[in-house]
Amino acid sequence: MKSAPAVISVAFVLGLLTWLLLHGLNINSARYDSQLRALGDFTRFERGMTREVLTARAGLSRNYDALVHMVNAYDDALTRLRDTAGLDAEQTRVIDVLSARADRQESLIERFKSRNALLQNSFAYFGLFSDRLAASESRPVVTAASALAAAMLRLTLDTSDAAARQVEDRLEELAQLQAPPAETDSVHALLLHGQMLHDLLPDIDTILKTLVAESNNREQDAMLAVILKRQLAARASARKTRLLQYITSLLLLSGIIYFGMLLRKRAMALRRRAAFEHVIANISMLFINSSNDGIDADVEMALRQLAGCIGADRAYFACVVGTTMHTYRWSRDGIAFEPGWPERVLSLAPRLDGGEDGIVYIPRMSASHPHDAMLTEAGVSGWLCIMAAYGSRDGILGFDAVRGGALTYWSEVSLFRMAFDAIGNAIRRARLEGEKERLQASLQQARRMETIGTFASGIAHNFNNIVGAILGHAEMADARVAPGSRPAASLAEIRRAGERARELVEQILGFGRRGEGRRERVCLRTLVDETRSLLAASLPSHVTFEVDETADIAIVTGEPAQLQQVILNLCNNAAQAMKEPGRIELRIKVHDLAKPLSIGRSEVGPGRFTVISVADPGPGMDEATLERIFEPFFTTRPDGNGLGLATVREIVEQHGGAVAVQSRPDAGTRFDIWLPSGEPVEPQPAQHGSDPAFLGAGETVLVIDTDRRRLLRYEEILAALGYEPVGFTGLAEAIAACRAAHARFDAALVCHLPGGSSLDLAAALHDAAPALPIILAAPSTRDLAMPSLKTSGITELVHHPLASAELASALARSLVSSATSGRLRRAAGAS
């Protein structure tokens, strides 16, 4: 409906132009020209007919073809004149008069044609017979015939009555002569044709006189006057129409100029819009490949391009992400930002009325603006501010005019909303891509650690057997040496290292599976002392290890084996990097953080943290190497595997800490391990060896292990602990022994079986002897669910390979819980 007035206006203008065109062309002038031509042809052909009649009368025309042609053209001209008259009554009356005249003319011509034909025929015969008689031998006949011919000639030239009477007289004279008989017929024929000529010549002359009298221009003049009258009237109308056309042309020209100016203004607006959209497209293309590191430069370039569209001297984008404010600025050369600007705009934004679109546009500042004072203090004389949509005030895009005095006026400033969204989305996308890269790195690390876990689980059984053999033989040897002697101390170190190795295998398995291990309070001083003894035997001779003692007792919560692995990996890496004699320094300090602190790729705090620093004077590392040192399987040594530092960071981050590294080429390297600290309470030292309270008193223990050599070693450990072991390598024999003598065994020890059948074996034993306590030895207990353990009749869990102290404790607890039933079984067996 809104387009109806425009359609009506266009239709009116088209109708007016069409009317002016038709009247301005003076179409009737062509009709009048045709009438004039037709009237001229009518007059010309009428005269032509008279000329042809006179020619035929004089005997100069052999036929009437030309006369017939003239008559037809005469009729055609009259027809054309009638056709062009149309409905004009006055012209029709005049044409009717011309038509009646034409009918009379044509009637006279027809009469002339018929009589003239007879005349010419009679003239021919009259001349023939006159010539015959003129050659007669009768003189009177010759005389009379000659006199008749002379009179006839005169009548031909003069058809007056006197000439006609003279011809009559000569005819009577010839008729009264007595002609010779041979010439009688000729005389008779001559008289006949002479009489006919006497009658025809006056009649034909009368017709000719009538034709000549009728051939005047009176009727043509009347018709011409009517045509000229109409033509003059049409020309007067055409002059008026041309005046109207001129006036209309002026009006149309004014309208065209007006609409042209509107179109030019619109075209300029569209051109500016297209240029702005081109800028937005360039900015979007710029942001497509923006990274988290290059987003600052890209946003600054985008602000510069946007400022050029509106003539701004300063441009800025500020947003709050979480609790952090991010600000991006651009300004022309020689123009600086006022202190606190544009940060203050974020506080001003909640008080601004940006309308539904959240845009405040002030091309030129005026005293009436409510925020003029604050903007003037910031040196702003023209201002455009785009706030976050939907009423949010956590982001703004601003443009300031400082030097120019005003911003370029533009009615479509709402397009800057696209710029706001483009920049905001780019910043968010860059942040998300950074988070994505971090998550991808974590995922890659998880996959590699999963590979490590899979690889470690494949070799764990064989390695556990070796560690079990070391621990078993160490304990058996310890029972044969004097306490406090040097061999006893060496055996204690061997046992301690074996236990750490066993725990390390379990921790590697758990680390590869991203599992949560058992955490305990660890004194770092004690842990470092144990690590020092391990390093003493592994460090090269040209490397010394020094620990900076601290007065504070640093306590952390974690897995001792993993934390010791961190220290060992860092120290071993430092030693391998030192090609010349030097010293590895280890320092432990405690820091209290009041606010979060960014360490490496992680953020720690607030709270209490213990920092373990390991420094070496080695060759150091360049920036490219520093960026990749924590990547799994990345190494700079030909004999390295690239897992040491990756494992260090993984263990530390699992403990809630972070790793920082400082290194420069030829300036050494220092690693800082940040770990959450607990209260400084001195932990109890670990007990090694078997407590005498946990030694057995000859109780019989059923042992199942598919490996006979390992079974013999476990039997020796049980015998050393005071128990009577009975070993089986097959399940069927063990079940048969239980069913043969229910009270024979006080406890059962089921060792780890490859393939995961230990629980099934324990369940089968439980079905055969429900009252028998079962102890399960497994390399890891993380994957064992309590319901399945209870269903299988398992009462205790110990690590595999076996440690005598842990096994003694587990056996003591199991036997205490079933002491009463055990005594009853032994009494029944004795009876």
Side-chain angles (χ1 to χ4, degrees):
M1 296 301 294
K2 292 182 179 180
S3 60
V7 173
I8 294 174
S9 300
V10 171
F12 173 76
V13 172
L14 289 177
L16 177 62
L17 292 175
T18 303
W19 184 84
L20 291 174
L21 175 65
L22 294 177
H23 285 73
L25 291 176
N26 192 9
I27 299 176
N28 289 329
S29 64
R31 179 164 66 90
Y32 300 142
D33 292 340
S34 298
Q35 288 180 336
L36 290 174
R37 286 194 297 271
L39 183 61
D41 292 342
F42 180 84
T43 303
R44 180 166 58 85
F45 291 130
E46 186 179 55
R47 292 174 180 173
M49 289 189 302
T50 302
R51 184 180 65 252
E52 290 298 328
V53 168
L54 293 175
T55 302
R57 169 65 181 82
L60 299 178
S61 177
R62 294 180 178 274
N63 53 51
Y64 297 116
D65 292 341
L67 183 59
V68 171
H69 174 71
M70 288 294 178
V71 171
N72 292 334
Y74 184 67
D75 290 338
D76 180 67
L78 183 62
T79 301
R80 285 188 286 119
L81 194 61
R82 186 181 296 279
D83 291 340
T84 55
L87 300 178
D88 193 330
E90 185 177 5
Q91 287 187 356
T92 301
R93 286 194 301 270
V94 176
I95 292 173
D96 289 341
V97 173
L98 288 176
S99 179
R101 173 181 166 176
D103 291 340
R104 291 193 303 270
Q105 291 278 47
E106 291 179 3
S107 176
L108 291 172
I109 290 173
E110 289 298 324
R111 286 177 58 194
F112 170 78
K113 288 167 59 179
S114 62
R115 284 163 174 72
N116 188 59
L118 294 174
L119 179 65
Q120 297 300 329
N121 184 55
S122 294
F123 265 127
Y125 283 107
F126 183 84
L128 176 66
F129 290 113
S130 294
D131 292 339
R132 287 181 181 180
L133 293 177
S136 174
E137 296 179 354
S138 176
R139 193 161 183 84
V141 173
V142 172
T143 302
S146 299
L148 178 60
M152 189 61 67
L153 179 61
R154 182 181 178 187
L155 181 63
T156 303
L157 299 176
D158 181 13
T159 57
S160 63
D161 292 338
R165 282 194 300 273
Q166 187 177 3
V167 172
E168 278 185 33
D169 292 341
R170 302 286 88 78
L171 288 173
E172 288 179 0
E173 290 178 358
L174 182 62
Q176 293 175 1
L177 288 176
Q178 292 294 322
E183 297 176 351
T184 300
D185 293 335
S186 298
V187 171
H188 180 73
L190 182 62
L191 289 174
L192 181 62
H193 287 286
Q195 187 62 42
M196 188 174 293
L197 290 174
H198 173 267
D199 296 335
L200 289 175
L201 283 172
D203 188 27
I204 289 174
D205 285 347
T206 301
I207 293 174
L208 290 176
K209 290 177 181 179
T210 304
L211 283 175
V212 172
E214 289 286 343
S215 299
N216 57 64
N217 294 330
R218 185 173 56 254
E219 288 83 359
Q220 288 94 321
D221 292 341
M223 184 65 188
L224 179 61
V226 173
I227 293 173
L228 291 177
K229 177 182 176 182
R230 296 291 187 270
Q231 193 173 34
L232 291 175
R235 289 176 179 176
S237 175
R239 283 194 298 271
K240 294 179 181 179
T241 303
R242 283 195 292 271
L243 179 61
L244 290 176
Q245 286 178 338
Y246 177 72
I247 296 173
T248 305
S249 299
L250 291 179
L251 294 176
L252 288 176
L253 179 61
S254 300
I256 290 173
I257 293 174
Y258 173 73
F259 287 110
M261 293 176 65
L262 291 180
L263 288 175
R264 182 176 179 273
K265 183 178 179 181
R266 183 60 178 168
M268 292 176 63
L270 290 176
R271 189 158 49 246
R272 292 188 62 182
R273 183 186 181 98
F276 184 82
E277 291 178 350
H278 182 69
V279 170
I280 293 296
N282 290 338
I283 291 174
S284 300
M285 292 296 295
L286 177 68
F287 286 146
I288 286 178
N289 298 321
S290 291
S291 62
N292 193 22
D293 297 331
I295 189 66
D296 294 348
D298 293 341
V299 172
E300 181 177 347
M301 182 177 295
L303 292 175
R304 177 178 61 80
Q305 294 180 1
L306 292 172
C309 294
I310 201 169
D313 299 314
R314 298 190 308 217
Y316 43 85
F317 185 89
C319 62
V320 177
V321 179
T323 59
T324 306
M325 177 184 293
H326 300 273
T327 305
Y328 306 89
R329 300 180 180 87
W330 171 86
S331 62
R332 297 185 187 276
D333 295 338
I335 298 178
F337 282 89
E338 297 296 326
W341 192 267
E343 289 77 4
R344 283 184 292 168
V345 179
L346 282 175
S347 62
L348 174 64
R351 304 197 301 271
L352 297 176
D353 183 13
E356 295 182 358
D357 54 359
I359 298 177
V360 179
Y361 182 37
I362 309 173
R364 184 182 296 275
M365 296 299 301
S366 61
S368 62
H369 196 274
H371 304 291
D372 180 68
M374 192 181 75
L375 295 174
T376 303
E377 291 176 0
V380 176
S381 57
W383 193 42
L384 172 63
C385 179
I386 299 93
M387 295 172 284
Y390 311 110
S392 175
R393 296 295 186 264
D394 58 355
I396 56 101
L397 172 62
F399 300 91
D400 302 339
V402 179
R403 187 169 55 191
L407 293 178
T408 302
Y409 181 78
W410 194 13
S411 60
E412 298 190 27
V413 293
S414 58
L415 294 176
F416 279 85
R417 170 65 58 191
M418 294 190 300
F420 180 93
D421 295 337
I423 296 175
N425 292 335
I427 293 174
R428 286 192 294 271
R429 182 180 61 81
R431 298 291 183 260
L432 290 175
E433 286 183 353
E435 182 65 16
K436 176 184 176 183
E437 291 176 359
R438 189 186 67 80
L439 293 176
Q440 286 179 341
S442 299
L443 177 61
Q444 188 68 18
Q445 177 74 359
R447 288 174 177 172
R448 291 179 177 180
M449 291 303 103
E450 183 180 2
T451 303
I452 294 174
T454 304
F455 175 73
S457 62
I459 65 172
H461 304 297
N462 295 329
F463 188 68
N464 278 343
N465 292 336
I466 298 172
V467 173
I470 293 173
L471 290 175
H473 287 292
E475 291 190 6
M476 288 186 292
D478 186 51
R480 295 182 177 86
V481 298
S485 62
R486 292 193 57 163
S490 298
L491 289 173
E493 290 295 329
I494 293 173
R495 187 167 56 250
R496 185 179 297 110
E499 291 173 355
R500 291 297 187 196
R502 183 183 63 184
E503 294 178 5
L504 180 60
V505 170
E506 182 179 358
Q507 297 305 323
I508 290 176
L509 290 172
F511 180 63
R513 291 190 299 267
R514 289 287 197 271
E516 287 292 336
R518 296 186 304 273
R519 302 290 178 88
E520 60 183 70
R521 295 170 61 82
V522 180
C523 175
L524 289 182
R525 179 184 296 175
T526 304
L527 185 68
V528 169
D529 290 340
E530 293 180 1
T531 306
R532 187 197 306 224
S533 62
L534 294 175
L535 289 172
S538 61
L539 292 178
S541 58
H542 67 280
V543 177
T544 59
F545 180 68
E546 180 179 324
V547 178
D548 185 9
E549 299 291 343
T550 177
D552 297 332
I553 298 177
I555 302 297
V556 297
T557 300
E559 299 181 58
Q562 285 191 349
L563 297 178
Q564 189 177 62
Q565 183 182 3
V566 169
I567 299 174
L568 287 172
N569 285 351
L570 292 177
C571 293
N572 286 327
N573 278 357
Q576 292 168 1
M578 295 169 59
K579 304 302 181 183
E580 297 180 359
R583 179 178 58 190
I584 298 175
E585 296 181 356
L586 187 145
R587 291 183 177 84
I588 301 175
K589 293 184 179 180
V590 178
H591 293 272
D592 292 318
L593 299 179
K595 59 181 180 179
L597 180 65
S598 179
I599 304 295
R601 69 174 184 179
S602 304
E603 188 176 84
V604 299
R608 188 180 181 88
F609 283 82
T610 299
V611 181
I612 305 173
S613 299
V614 178
D616 68 81
M621 293 175 285
D622 56 15
E623 292 294 333
T625 305
L626 283 175
E627 291 179 0
R628 301 189 60 191
I629 57 174
F630 292 109
E631 293 182 10
F633 308 109
F634 172 76
T635 180
T636 58
R637 299 193 310 272
D639 57 345
N641 54 25
L643 293 175
L645 293 179
T647 304
V648 166
R649 184 165 69 175
E650 192 72 18
I651 293 174
V652 172
E653 290 181 352
Q654 284 186 355
H655 282 74
V659 181
V661 57
Q662 299 178 15
S663 182
R664 288 184 302 172
D666 301 326
T669 304
R670 190 183 80 185
F671 285 88
D672 294 328
I673 308 299
W674 291 69
L675 296 171
S677 293
E679 295 298 327
V681 178
E682 186 73 28
Q684 296 295 327
Q687 297 291 335
H688 300 286
S690 301
D691 191 335
F694 295 149
L695 296 179
E699 292 89 346
T700 303
V701 179
L702 183 148
V703 184
I704 300 179
D705 197 310
T706 56
D707 191 329
R708 182 170 297 279
R709 291 194 305 171
R710 193 166 56 232
L711 178 62
L712 293 176
R713 187 167 63 252
Y714 293 161
E715 288 177 346
E716 291 180 3
I717 293 175
L718 288 170
L721 293 175
Y723 296 98
E724 180 182 349
V726 178
F728 297 93
T729 57
L731 176 62
E733 295 85 353
I735 293 176
C738 289
R739 290 176 176 173
H742 294 282
R744 178 182 177 186
F745 302 107
D746 297 291
L749 175 62
V750 178
C751 297
H752 173 67
L753 299 179
S757 60
S758 301
L759 288 178
D760 296 337
L761 192 151
L765 278 179
H766 182 63
D767 292 340
L772 183 65
I774 301 175
I775 301 171
L776 177 63
S780 177
T781 60
R782 290 184 177 87
D783 299 329
L784 299 177
M786 290 304 298
S788 61
L789 296 176
K790 186 176 181 180
T791 304
S792 301
I794 297 173
T795 58
E796 292 287 340
L797 290 173
V798 295
H799 287 88
H800 185 276
L802 299 175
S804 57
E806 184 182 14
L807 180 59
S809 300
L811 283 171
R813 288 191 298 270
S814 298
L815 293 175
V816 167
S817 63
S818 61
T820 304
S821 58
R823 285 194 298 271
L824 291 176
R825 286 196 300 272
R826 285 196 298 274
S831 61

